[in-house]
Amino acid sequence: MRWGPRAEPLEPLAVAGEGAVALALARRVLSETDARLAEWSGVAGTGVLVLLGPAGLLPWVDGAVYLGRDSAAPSLLLPCALVPDVAVSMLERALLARVGNAGTPVAVLPASGHLVPVGAARPVSRITLTTWLAPSTAQVTP
């Protein structure tokens, strides 16, 4: 499957980062006030971070993927500026058959092919995010 430019961008509902971008996103989020953190929810895994929140409040980080919902595939969060070369409704059926409905919606990250269930997203906690970030900062040498 290939991805190309979307004629009409989706409204952002989430922002995702992988690898170094996920780390930059976490650091960017930690620079915010606790009040701002309370406006977001998120999920994190090894090398991936997805934040959900109002479009105007999502943080900007170079290389991050902004995700939105296409009405033809409401169980997926797709890149706002990209569209697959297959019908999104068919893509949704195929991906849900692969990951199930338990974690919907599912963030689709085309560059890596990762599927990130975000149904279990929790309010962003400074302590939790700092703990998630700690192993990566321990590996950095001066």
Side-chain angles (χ1 to χ4, degrees):
M1 177 176 63
R2 296 175 190 241
W3 294 80
R6 185 179 283 275
E8 179 82 19
L10 300 172
E11 173 151 358
L13 300 173
V15 59
E18 296 181 273
V21 175
L23 301 177
L25 181 57
R27 289 183 191 104
R28 169 68 178 81
V29 169
L30 288 172
S31 74
E32 293 289 344
T33 65
D34 288 339
R36 179 57 53 99
L37 266 62
E39 296 175 351
W40 296 319
S41 61
V43 297
T46 303
V48 66
L49 177 63
V50 180
L51 295 175
L52 297 96
L57 300 179
L58 291 172
W60 183 87
V61 172
D62 192 28
V65 177
Y66 292 85
L67 305 167
R69 186 169 280 134
D70 187 313
S71 61
S75 296
L76 302 179
L77 293 179
L78 300 169
C80 291
L82 299 175
V83 65
D85 64 356
V86 299
V88 292
S89 59
M90 290 175 56
L91 176 63
E92 178 184 49
R93 281 194 297 272
L95 295 180
L96 291 181
R98 187 170 167 191
V99 300
N101 289 326
T104 58
V106 174
V108 179
L109 306 176
S112 65
H114 286 135
L115 304 174
V116 182
V118 296
R122 298 288 180 253
V124 174
S125 156
R126 187 172 306 280
I127 293 169
T128 302
L129 193 53
T130 300
T131 301
W132 177 82
L133 191 56
S136 65
T137 57
Q139 296 173 11
V140 177
T141 57

